[in-house]
Amino acid sequence: MMVNEEKSQVNIKLISTIRPIDGESETLEMWLNGQLINKADSLYLKYEEMQDEKTIRTTMKLDKERALIMRAGAVKMRLPLNIFEQQIGHYESEFGSMPLVTQTKNMLFTRHEMRGDFHVHYDLLMGGQNVGNYTLDITFTEVQ
């Protein structure tokens, strides 16, 4: 059985704000090229970013009430987000795998003809402790 899959090239503007519990707030803005994949009633946004000359591949499954951020390459992470309940994900480093818990405060996903906006605001907990407050704003526009 063939899965119907539509792919399109997108320009992505990503703004990530991290407010650690003990430390300075940090905002990162990136302009990236990626792909928007429509597969089996789900929407995926894929892109690559460079960090310290290493590649990180990110795939995001987007929806109105839940999302999933998966990262591979230099960073390995699975971060589920759900506005109704806490979710358990994990982060892998050379020191091993660490469970992460996300408490999503709010999430907004809107899709228009050729563009979309995804906004999520969540707390990240490690070892039962809140380590910070995260905001992710993504706008993508299909390339003609």
Side-chain angles (χ1 to χ4, degrees), residues 9-49:
Q9 296 300 312
V10 287
N11 290 327
I12 301 165
K13 179 184 179 185
L14 185 148
I15 301 171
S16 170
T17 303
I18 302 167
R19 292 175 203 80
I21 294 301
D22 51 1
E24 292 291 305
S25 189
E26 184 185 351
T27 298
L28 191 67
E29 183 174 315
M30 289 187 278
W31 293 85
L32 304 157
N33 296 318
Q35 282 188 321
L36 188 64
I37 300 161
N38 208 335
K39 179 165 97 180
D41 290 333
S42 292
L43 202 60
Y44 297 87
L45 190 62
K46 288 177 91 159
Y47 59 87
E48 286 187 0
E49 61 186 274

